[in-house]
Amino acid sequence: MLPRGLEIGVEQDGGWPLYEVARSAGSTERRIVYLHGGTWINQISPLQWQLVLKLAADTGSRVLVPIYPLAPQGTAGTVVPQVVDLLRRLAATYGAGNVSVLGDSAGGQIALSAALLLRDLQAVLAHTVLICPALDLSLSNPAIDALEPNDKWLVRPGLRAAADLWRDGLRLDEPIVSPLFGNMDGLGPLTVFVGTRDITHPDCELLVSKAQAAGVHTIFHQAPGMVHLYPLLPIPEGRAARRTMAEILGSDP
């Protein structure tokens, strides 16, 4: 059930359902585009919708949720450019400083790949917020070896199979597939949330180091002992992360 004080609408945008969640009263130019995770093959979940509702309520922004086609119908080469086009149109209408992008897991890959491509079009977003993002789809970071036996959520064989469907023949080191390989120069403010028991953690560390070296304003939230997507879970650490996320997304860049 939709919480009191929020409204939701949906329209078709380039053949995709595009949901918009916002406070019923008041108006704002701020827009947050949220890309859900799900290993590129699973649809948006109730926990992800709960995050959308909280961000709309707490930030006062209008949160847009594109329901992109899943692999193998949807691929990096078709989905990411359409997300870029959505962000570009929003930036042209409301100003790039009023537009943020947020993604979790596979959605984090889409979000960062799109933000980098948009940067190349001379539009720098207010915030790029990543929750346990997939950054290098080769999953070849040797630091993953020690984490994988204790990660009860993610395993490399399944991720690699899904990633192969998603990249659809594109090289693993192309930034539209693995944004860790992209040039971070000129990217807007970046925030990364990840738990230390998550096999995405080593690549998140690399991303933060690379972004900081490029002069990107970067905030890194590492949660000791937390698992994949802990910011979405109904636990104290998850609630704290969601509050922090709302504060960041509700702030000026």
mmCIF file of all heavy atoms in Angstrom, residues 51-99:
data_model
loop_
_atom_site.group_PDB
_atom_site.id
_atom_site.type_symbol
_atom_site.label_atom_id
_atom_site.label_comp_id
_atom_site.label_asym_id
_atom_site.label_seq_id
_atom_site.Cartn_x
_atom_site.Cartn_y
_atom_site.Cartn_z
ATOM 1 N N LEU A 51 12.754 1.196 -0.786
ATOM 2 C CA LEU A 51 13.782 2.229 -0.872
ATOM 3 C C LEU A 51 13.279 3.420 -1.683
ATOM 4 O O LEU A 51 13.488 4.582 -1.292
ATOM 5 C CB LEU A 51 15.044 1.649 -1.502
ATOM 6 C CG LEU A 51 16.190 2.645 -1.747
ATOM 7 C CD1 LEU A 51 16.682 3.239 -0.429
ATOM 8 C CD2 LEU A 51 17.334 1.965 -2.493
ATOM 9 N N VAL A 52 12.638 3.154 -2.797
ATOM 10 C CA VAL A 52 12.096 4.228 -3.623
ATOM 11 C C VAL A 52 11.121 5.090 -2.829
ATOM 12 O O VAL A 52 11.183 6.337 -2.857
ATOM 13 C CB VAL A 52 11.399 3.645 -4.869
ATOM 14 C CG1 VAL A 52 10.596 4.708 -5.609
ATOM 15 C CG2 VAL A 52 12.417 3.006 -5.804
ATOM 16 N N LEU A 53 10.219 4.461 -2.094
ATOM 17 C CA LEU A 53 9.224 5.199 -1.308
ATOM 18 C C LEU A 53 9.893 6.057 -0.249
ATOM 19 O O LEU A 53 9.502 7.213 -0.033
ATOM 20 C CB LEU A 53 8.242 4.220 -0.657
ATOM 21 C CG LEU A 53 7.381 3.392 -1.612
ATOM 22 C CD1 LEU A 53 6.527 2.394 -0.837
ATOM 23 C CD2 LEU A 53 6.493 4.282 -2.490
ATOM 24 N N LYS A 54 10.900 5.512 0.425
ATOM 25 C CA LYS A 54 11.579 6.276 1.473
ATOM 26 C C LYS A 54 12.287 7.488 0.892
ATOM 27 O O LYS A 54 12.212 8.594 1.454
ATOM 28 C CB LYS A 54 12.575 5.402 2.222
ATOM 29 C CG LYS A 54 13.357 6.194 3.290
ATOM 30 C CD LYS A 54 14.211 5.326 4.153
ATOM 31 C CE LYS A 54 14.973 6.168 5.190
ATOM 32 N NZ LYS A 54 14.087 6.944 6.083
ATOM 33 N N LEU A 55 12.960 7.293 -0.234
ATOM 34 C CA LEU A 55 13.696 8.411 -0.823
ATOM 35 C C LEU A 55 12.747 9.507 -1.297
ATOM 36 O O LEU A 55 13.035 10.693 -1.156
ATOM 37 C CB LEU A 55 14.566 7.914 -1.968
ATOM 38 C CG LEU A 55 15.734 7.012 -1.552
ATOM 39 C CD1 LEU A 55 16.473 6.512 -2.789
ATOM 40 C CD2 LEU A 55 16.689 7.736 -0.610
ATOM 41 N N ALA A 56 11.620 9.111 -1.870
ATOM 42 C CA ALA A 56 10.644 10.115 -2.292
ATOM 43 C C ALA A 56 10.114 10.889 -1.096
ATOM 44 O O ALA A 56 9.984 12.123 -1.143
ATOM 45 C CB ALA A 56 9.502 9.445 -3.052
ATOM 46 N N ALA A 57 9.819 10.179 -0.010
ATOM 47 C CA ALA A 57 9.274 10.829 1.181
ATOM 48 C C ALA A 57 10.298 11.709 1.876
ATOM 49 O O ALA A 57 9.996 12.820 2.309
ATOM 50 C CB ALA A 57 8.742 9.773 2.142
ATOM 51 N N ASP A 58 11.527 11.217 1.995
ATOM 52 C CA ASP A 58 12.524 11.907 2.817
ATOM 53 C C ASP A 58 13.277 13.004 2.081
ATOM 54 O O ASP A 58 13.750 13.956 2.714
ATOM 55 C CB ASP A 58 13.532 10.894 3.372
ATOM 56 C CG ASP A 58 12.933 9.977 4.425
ATOM 57 O OD1 ASP A 58 11.721 10.122 4.718
ATOM 58 O OD2 ASP A 58 13.650 9.116 4.954
ATOM 59 N N THR A 59 13.440 12.878 0.759
ATOM 60 C CA THR A 59 14.196 13.893 0.031
ATOM 61 C C THR A 59 13.313 14.959 -0.604
ATOM 62 O O THR A 59 13.794 16.043 -0.933
ATOM 63 C CB THR A 59 15.041 13.258 -1.090
ATOM 64 O OG1 THR A 59 14.170 12.760 -2.121
ATOM 65 C CG2 THR A 59 15.916 12.134 -0.560
ATOM 66 N N GLY A 60 12.039 14.644 -0.785
ATOM 67 C CA GLY A 60 11.158 15.568 -1.490
ATOM 68 C C GLY A 60 11.359 15.546 -2.991
ATOM 69 O O GLY A 60 10.699 16.282 -3.726
ATOM 70 N N SER A 61 12.269 14.704 -3.463
ATOM 71 C CA SER A 61 12.520 14.591 -4.904
ATOM 72 C C SER A 61 11.455 13.714 -5.557
ATOM 73 O O SER A 61 10.779 12.927 -4.888
ATOM 74 C CB SER A 61 13.893 13.962 -5.149
ATOM 75 O OG SER A 61 14.919 14.702 -4.527
ATOM 76 N N ARG A 62 11.341 13.840 -6.851
ATOM 77 C CA ARG A 62 10.525 12.920 -7.627
ATOM 78 C C ARG A 62 11.437 11.788 -8.076
ATOM 79 O O ARG A 62 12.454 12.027 -8.750
ATOM 80 C CB ARG A 62 9.867 13.619 -8.810
ATOM 81 C CG ARG A 62 9.008 14.818 -8.396
ATOM 82 C CD ARG A 62 8.214 15.393 -9.534
ATOM 83 N NE ARG A 62 7.039 14.583 -9.822
ATOM 84 C CZ ARG A 62 5.863 14.721 -9.209
ATOM 85 N NH1 ARG A 62 5.702 15.625 -8.264
ATOM 86 N NH2 ARG A 62 4.845 13.952 -9.545
ATOM 87 N N VAL A 63 11.101 10.559 -7.692
ATOM 88 C CA VAL A 63 11.945 9.401 -7.969
ATOM 89 C C VAL A 63 11.376 8.657 -9.166
ATOM 90 O O VAL A 63 10.223 8.207 -9.139
ATOM 91 C CB VAL A 63 12.041 8.470 -6.748
ATOM 92 C CG1 VAL A 63 13.002 7.314 -7.037
ATOM 93 C CG2 VAL A 63 12.514 9.238 -5.514
ATOM 94 N N LEU A 64 12.185 8.529 -10.205
ATOM 95 C CA LEU A 64 11.768 7.863 -11.433
ATOM 96 C C LEU A 64 12.393 6.474 -11.487
ATOM 97 O O LEU A 64 13.597 6.310 -11.243
ATOM 98 C CB LEU A 64 12.190 8.668 -12.661
ATOM 99 C CG LEU A 64 11.367 9.924 -12.973
ATOM 100 C CD1 LEU A 64 11.709 11.050 -12.008
ATOM 101 C CD2 LEU A 64 11.610 10.381 -14.401
ATOM 102 N N VAL A 65 11.575 5.490 -11.806
ATOM 103 C CA VAL A 65 12.008 4.092 -11.824
ATOM 104 C C VAL A 65 11.716 3.497 -13.197
ATOM 105 O O VAL A 65 10.596 3.080 -13.484
ATOM 106 C CB VAL A 65 11.294 3.270 -10.731
ATOM 107 C CG1 VAL A 65 11.850 1.845 -10.682
ATOM 108 C CG2 VAL A 65 11.407 3.948 -9.366
ATOM 109 N N PRO A 66 12.709 3.453 -14.083
ATOM 110 C CA PRO A 66 12.503 2.804 -15.382
ATOM 111 C C PRO A 66 12.549 1.283 -15.231
ATOM 112 O O PRO A 66 13.461 0.734 -14.618
ATOM 113 C CB PRO A 66 13.677 3.304 -16.223
ATOM 114 C CG PRO A 66 14.726 3.706 -15.248
ATOM 115 C CD PRO A 66 14.046 4.072 -13.961
ATOM 116 N N ILE A 67 11.553 0.613 -15.759
ATOM 117 C CA ILE A 67 11.512 -0.855 -15.729
ATOM 118 C C ILE A 67 12.106 -1.347 -17.049
ATOM 119 O O ILE A 67 11.413 -1.572 -18.037
ATOM 120 C CB ILE A 67 10.076 -1.369 -15.512
ATOM 121 C CG1 ILE A 67 9.477 -0.744 -14.243
ATOM 122 C CG2 ILE A 67 10.073 -2.893 -15.409
ATOM 123 C CD1 ILE A 67 10.252 -1.045 -12.963
ATOM 124 N N TYR A 68 13.409 -1.466 -17.034
ATOM 125 C CA TYR A 68 14.151 -1.803 -18.249
ATOM 126 C C TYR A 68 14.002 -3.293 -18.575
ATOM 127 O O TYR A 68 13.803 -4.117 -17.676
ATOM 128 C CB TYR A 68 15.624 -1.421 -18.094
ATOM 129 C CG TYR A 68 16.332 -2.087 -16.927
ATOM 130 C CD1 TYR A 68 16.959 -3.320 -17.064
ATOM 131 C CD2 TYR A 68 16.374 -1.467 -15.682
ATOM 132 C CE1 TYR A 68 17.603 -3.926 -15.991
ATOM 133 C CE2 TYR A 68 17.026 -2.065 -14.602
ATOM 134 C CZ TYR A 68 17.632 -3.295 -14.770
ATOM 135 O OH TYR A 68 18.262 -3.898 -13.706
ATOM 136 N N PRO A 69 14.108 -3.664 -19.850
ATOM 137 C CA PRO A 69 13.997 -5.079 -20.210
ATOM 138 C C PRO A 69 15.191 -5.866 -19.685
ATOM 139 O O PRO A 69 16.331 -5.392 -19.693
ATOM 140 C CB PRO A 69 13.980 -5.061 -21.745
ATOM 141 C CG PRO A 69 14.623 -3.768 -22.116
ATOM 142 C CD PRO A 69 14.282 -2.796 -21.020
ATOM 143 N N LEU A 70 14.923 -7.071 -19.226
ATOM 144 C CA LEU A 70 15.943 -7.913 -18.621
ATOM 145 C C LEU A 70 16.661 -8.732 -19.685
ATOM 146 O O LEU A 70 16.139 -8.985 -20.769
ATOM 147 C CB LEU A 70 15.290 -8.836 -17.591
ATOM 148 C CG LEU A 70 14.501 -8.129 -16.486
ATOM 149 C CD1 LEU A 70 13.765 -9.141 -15.630
ATOM 150 C CD2 LEU A 70 15.415 -7.263 -15.622
ATOM 151 N N ALA A 71 17.871 -9.162 -19.349
ATOM 152 C CA ALA A 71 18.640 -10.026 -20.256
ATOM 153 C C ALA A 71 17.922 -11.370 -20.414
ATOM 154 O O ALA A 71 17.298 -11.859 -19.473
ATOM 155 C CB ALA A 71 20.044 -10.243 -19.696
ATOM 156 N N PRO A 72 17.958 -11.947 -21.613
ATOM 157 C CA PRO A 72 18.753 -11.529 -22.765
ATOM 158 C C PRO A 72 18.071 -10.527 -23.693
ATOM 159 O O PRO A 72 18.700 -10.067 -24.640
ATOM 160 C CB PRO A 72 18.993 -12.856 -23.491
ATOM 161 C CG PRO A 72 17.745 -13.642 -23.229
ATOM 162 C CD PRO A 72 17.354 -13.295 -21.812
ATOM 163 N N GLN A 73 16.793 -10.183 -23.443
ATOM 164 C CA GLN A 73 16.140 -9.200 -24.316
ATOM 165 C C GLN A 73 16.792 -7.824 -24.152
ATOM 166 O O GLN A 73 17.057 -7.120 -25.121
ATOM 167 C CB GLN A 73 14.641 -9.119 -24.014
ATOM 168 C CG GLN A 73 13.832 -10.287 -24.541
ATOM 169 C CD GLN A 73 14.027 -11.548 -23.717
ATOM 170 O OE1 GLN A 73 14.256 -11.456 -22.501
ATOM 171 N NE2 GLN A 73 13.958 -12.697 -24.354
ATOM 172 N N GLY A 74 17.015 -7.434 -22.906
ATOM 173 C CA GLY A 74 17.716 -6.192 -22.633
ATOM 174 C C GLY A 74 19.199 -6.475 -22.439
ATOM 175 O O GLY A 74 19.561 -7.450 -21.773
ATOM 176 N N THR A 75 20.044 -5.646 -23.024
ATOM 177 C CA THR A 75 21.484 -5.839 -22.927
ATOM 178 C C THR A 75 22.149 -4.504 -22.590
ATOM 179 O O THR A 75 21.534 -3.437 -22.698
ATOM 180 C CB THR A 75 22.067 -6.365 -24.244
ATOM 181 O OG1 THR A 75 21.912 -5.357 -25.259
ATOM 182 C CG2 THR A 75 21.366 -7.652 -24.686
ATOM 183 N N ALA A 76 23.428 -4.592 -22.212
ATOM 184 C CA ALA A 76 24.160 -3.369 -21.904
ATOM 185 C C ALA A 76 24.137 -2.397 -23.070
ATOM 186 O O ALA A 76 23.996 -1.180 -22.886
ATOM 187 C CB ALA A 76 25.602 -3.716 -21.527
ATOM 188 N N GLY A 77 24.248 -2.932 -24.284
ATOM 189 C CA GLY A 77 24.319 -2.086 -25.467
ATOM 190 C C GLY A 77 23.016 -1.407 -25.827
ATOM 191 O O GLY A 77 23.016 -0.435 -26.591
ATOM 192 N N THR A 78 21.890 -1.907 -25.290
ATOM 193 C CA THR A 78 20.596 -1.284 -25.585
ATOM 194 C C THR A 78 20.016 -0.539 -24.381
ATOM 195 O O THR A 78 19.428 0.527 -24.530
ATOM 196 C CB THR A 78 19.574 -2.337 -26.051
ATOM 197 O OG1 THR A 78 19.409 -3.339 -25.039
ATOM 198 C CG2 THR A 78 20.047 -3.008 -27.335
ATOM 199 N N VAL A 79 20.202 -1.093 -23.177
ATOM 200 C CA VAL A 79 19.598 -0.491 -21.978
ATOM 201 C C VAL A 79 20.359 0.747 -21.524
ATOM 202 O O VAL A 79 19.756 1.797 -21.251
ATOM 203 C CB VAL A 79 19.509 -1.527 -20.842
ATOM 204 C CG1 VAL A 79 19.101 -0.862 -19.528
ATOM 205 C CG2 VAL A 79 18.514 -2.625 -21.202
ATOM 206 N N VAL A 80 21.690 0.650 -21.418
ATOM 207 C CA VAL A 80 22.457 1.787 -20.895
ATOM 208 C C VAL A 80 22.251 3.045 -21.739
ATOM 209 O O VAL A 80 22.000 4.124 -21.178
ATOM 210 C CB VAL A 80 23.946 1.432 -20.745
ATOM 211 C CG1 VAL A 80 24.748 2.663 -20.308
ATOM 212 C CG2 VAL A 80 24.136 0.303 -19.726
ATOM 213 N N PRO A 81 22.315 2.979 -23.073
ATOM 214 C CA PRO A 81 22.076 4.201 -23.856
ATOM 215 C C PRO A 81 20.689 4.805 -23.627
ATOM 216 O O PRO A 81 20.541 6.034 -23.644
ATOM 217 C CB PRO A 81 22.253 3.741 -25.304
ATOM 218 C CG PRO A 81 23.191 2.579 -25.207
ATOM 219 C CD PRO A 81 22.783 1.877 -23.952
ATOM 220 N N GLN A 82 19.674 3.960 -23.404
ATOM 221 C CA GLN A 82 18.340 4.526 -23.172
ATOM 222 C C GLN A 82 18.261 5.195 -21.804
ATOM 223 O O GLN A 82 17.573 6.201 -21.639
ATOM 224 C CB GLN A 82 17.265 3.443 -23.315
ATOM 225 C CG GLN A 82 15.854 4.028 -23.330
ATOM 226 C CD GLN A 82 14.819 3.098 -23.916
ATOM 227 O OE1 GLN A 82 15.117 2.304 -24.808
ATOM 228 N NE2 GLN A 82 13.596 3.199 -23.433
ATOM 229 N N VAL A 83 18.987 4.654 -20.814
ATOM 230 C CA VAL A 83 19.058 5.318 -19.514
ATOM 231 C C VAL A 83 19.777 6.662 -19.663
ATOM 232 O O VAL A 83 19.364 7.674 -19.085
ATOM 233 C CB VAL A 83 19.770 4.430 -18.487
ATOM 234 C CG1 VAL A 83 20.038 5.196 -17.193
ATOM 235 C CG2 VAL A 83 18.938 3.179 -18.191
ATOM 236 N N VAL A 84 20.851 6.684 -20.443
ATOM 237 C CA VAL A 84 21.563 7.940 -20.708
ATOM 238 C C VAL A 84 20.620 8.957 -21.328
ATOM 239 O O VAL A 84 20.609 10.142 -20.939
ATOM 240 C CB VAL A 84 22.777 7.710 -21.628
ATOM 241 C CG1 VAL A 84 23.406 9.032 -22.043
ATOM 242 C CG2 VAL A 84 23.811 6.835 -20.936
ATOM 243 N N ASP A 85 19.802 8.525 -22.271
ATOM 244 C CA ASP A 85 18.873 9.447 -22.931
ATOM 245 C C ASP A 85 17.857 9.999 -21.937
ATOM 246 O O ASP A 85 17.536 11.205 -21.980
ATOM 247 C CB ASP A 85 18.157 8.734 -24.077
ATOM 248 C CG ASP A 85 17.249 9.673 -24.844
ATOM 249 O OD1 ASP A 85 17.761 10.624 -25.465
ATOM 250 O OD2 ASP A 85 16.016 9.482 -24.803
ATOM 251 N N LEU A 86 17.358 9.164 -21.026
ATOM 252 C CA LEU A 86 16.436 9.639 -19.997
ATOM 253 C C LEU A 86 17.117 10.687 -19.122
ATOM 254 O O LEU A 86 16.552 11.766 -18.857
ATOM 255 C CB LEU A 86 15.942 8.461 -19.149
ATOM 256 C CG LEU A 86 15.130 8.812 -17.897
ATOM 257 C CD1 LEU A 86 13.848 9.555 -18.261
ATOM 258 C CD2 LEU A 86 14.816 7.540 -17.099
ATOM 259 N N LEU A 87 18.321 10.385 -18.653
ATOM 260 C CA LEU A 87 19.049 11.330 -17.810
ATOM 261 C C LEU A 87 19.349 12.628 -18.565
ATOM 262 O O LEU A 87 19.243 13.731 -18.005
ATOM 263 C CB LEU A 87 20.352 10.698 -17.321
ATOM 264 C CG LEU A 87 20.212 9.548 -16.325
ATOM 265 C CD1 LEU A 87 21.544 8.821 -16.162
ATOM 266 C CD2 LEU A 87 19.720 10.044 -14.971
ATOM 267 N N ARG A 88 19.695 12.511 -19.838
ATOM 268 C CA ARG A 88 19.995 13.698 -20.643
ATOM 269 C C ARG A 88 18.780 14.601 -20.775
ATOM 270 O O ARG A 88 18.870 15.830 -20.646
ATOM 271 C CB ARG A 88 20.479 13.261 -22.031
ATOM 272 C CG ARG A 88 20.834 14.410 -22.951
ATOM 273 C CD ARG A 88 21.017 13.929 -24.387
ATOM 274 N NE ARG A 88 19.827 13.245 -24.898
ATOM 275 C CZ ARG A 88 18.730 13.874 -25.317
ATOM 276 N NH1 ARG A 88 18.648 15.200 -25.276
ATOM 277 N NH2 ARG A 88 17.704 13.178 -25.771
ATOM 278 N N ARG A 89 17.617 14.001 -21.011
ATOM 279 C CA ARG A 89 16.393 14.789 -21.140
ATOM 280 C C ARG A 89 16.015 15.460 -19.820
ATOM 281 O O ARG A 89 15.582 16.620 -19.794
ATOM 282 C CB ARG A 89 15.252 13.899 -21.631
ATOM 283 C CG ARG A 89 15.372 13.551 -23.123
ATOM 284 C CD ARG A 89 14.202 12.743 -23.625
ATOM 285 N NE ARG A 89 14.323 11.327 -23.310
ATOM 286 C CZ ARG A 89 13.473 10.636 -22.555
ATOM 287 N NH1 ARG A 89 12.418 11.243 -22.008
ATOM 288 N NH2 ARG A 89 13.649 9.354 -22.336
ATOM 289 N N LEU A 90 16.187 14.739 -18.727
ATOM 290 C CA LEU A 90 15.903 15.339 -17.421
ATOM 291 C C LEU A 90 16.860 16.482 -17.131
ATOM 292 O O LEU A 90 16.452 17.535 -16.617
ATOM 293 C CB LEU A 90 16.013 14.273 -16.328
ATOM 294 C CG LEU A 90 14.946 13.181 -16.341
ATOM 295 C CD1 LEU A 90 15.312 12.079 -15.342
ATOM 296 C CD2 LEU A 90 13.569 13.751 -16.007
ATOM 297 N N ALA A 91 18.145 16.291 -17.446
ATOM 298 C CA ALA A 91 19.132 17.345 -17.215
ATOM 299 C C ALA A 91 18.820 18.573 -18.069
ATOM 300 O O ALA A 91 18.981 19.718 -17.616
ATOM 301 C CB ALA A 91 20.536 16.823 -17.513
ATOM 302 N N ALA A 92 18.369 18.360 -19.303
ATOM 303 C CA ALA A 92 18.039 19.482 -20.176
ATOM 304 C C ALA A 92 16.821 20.248 -19.669
ATOM 305 O O ALA A 92 16.726 21.470 -19.828
ATOM 306 C CB ALA A 92 17.785 18.983 -21.600
ATOM 307 N N THR A 93 15.890 19.540 -19.038
ATOM 308 C CA THR A 93 14.653 20.158 -18.565
ATOM 309 C C THR A 93 14.824 20.833 -17.204
ATOM 310 O O THR A 93 14.353 21.962 -16.998
ATOM 311 C CB THR A 93 13.530 19.109 -18.477
ATOM 312 O OG1 THR A 93 13.347 18.513 -19.765
ATOM 313 C CG2 THR A 93 12.229 19.742 -18.017
ATOM 314 N N TYR A 94 15.505 20.153 -16.277
ATOM 315 C CA TYR A 94 15.561 20.630 -14.896
ATOM 316 C C TYR A 94 16.942 21.111 -14.474
ATOM 317 O O TYR A 94 17.093 21.643 -13.374
ATOM 318 C CB TYR A 94 15.111 19.515 -13.939
ATOM 319 C CG TYR A 94 13.735 18.999 -14.264
ATOM 320 C CD1 TYR A 94 13.564 17.759 -14.887
ATOM 321 C CD2 TYR A 94 12.604 19.759 -13.994
ATOM 322 C CE1 TYR A 94 12.302 17.287 -15.209
ATOM 323 C CE2 TYR A 94 11.335 19.293 -14.315
ATOM 324 C CZ TYR A 94 11.193 18.051 -14.924
ATOM 325 O OH TYR A 94 9.944 17.598 -15.249
ATOM 326 N N GLY A 95 17.943 20.906 -15.338
ATOM 327 C CA GLY A 95 19.313 21.230 -14.975
ATOM 328 C C GLY A 95 20.001 20.014 -14.399
ATOM 329 O O GLY A 95 19.434 19.328 -13.534
ATOM 330 N N ALA A 96 21.212 19.728 -14.872
ATOM 331 C CA ALA A 96 21.923 18.535 -14.407
ATOM 332 C C ALA A 96 22.147 18.560 -12.897
ATOM 333 O O ALA A 96 22.200 17.513 -12.253
ATOM 334 C CB ALA A 96 23.260 18.401 -15.135
ATOM 335 N N GLY A 97 22.249 19.753 -12.317
ATOM 336 C CA GLY A 97 22.439 19.872 -10.874
ATOM 337 C C GLY A 97 21.232 19.470 -10.061
ATOM 338 O O GLY A 97 21.319 19.374 -8.831
ATOM 339 N N ASN A 98 20.104 19.230 -10.728
ATOM 340 C CA ASN A 98 18.891 18.762 -10.051
ATOM 341 C C ASN A 98 18.603 17.293 -10.320
ATOM 342 O O ASN A 98 17.562 16.784 -9.906
ATOM 343 C CB ASN A 98 17.674 19.582 -10.490
ATOM 344 C CG ASN A 98 17.651 20.961 -9.859
ATOM 345 O OD1 ASN A 98 17.869 21.104 -8.665
ATOM 346 N ND2 ASN A 98 17.403 21.981 -10.672
ATOM 347 N N VAL A 99 19.510 16.614 -11.009
ATOM 348 C CA VAL A 99 19.274 15.222 -11.405
ATOM 349 C C VAL A 99 20.351 14.329 -10.798
ATOM 350 O O VAL A 99 21.548 14.614 -10.911
ATOM 351 C CB VAL A 99 19.272 15.064 -12.940
ATOM 352 C CG1 VAL A 99 19.021 13.607 -13.335
ATOM 353 C CG2 VAL A 99 18.227 15.978 -13.571
#
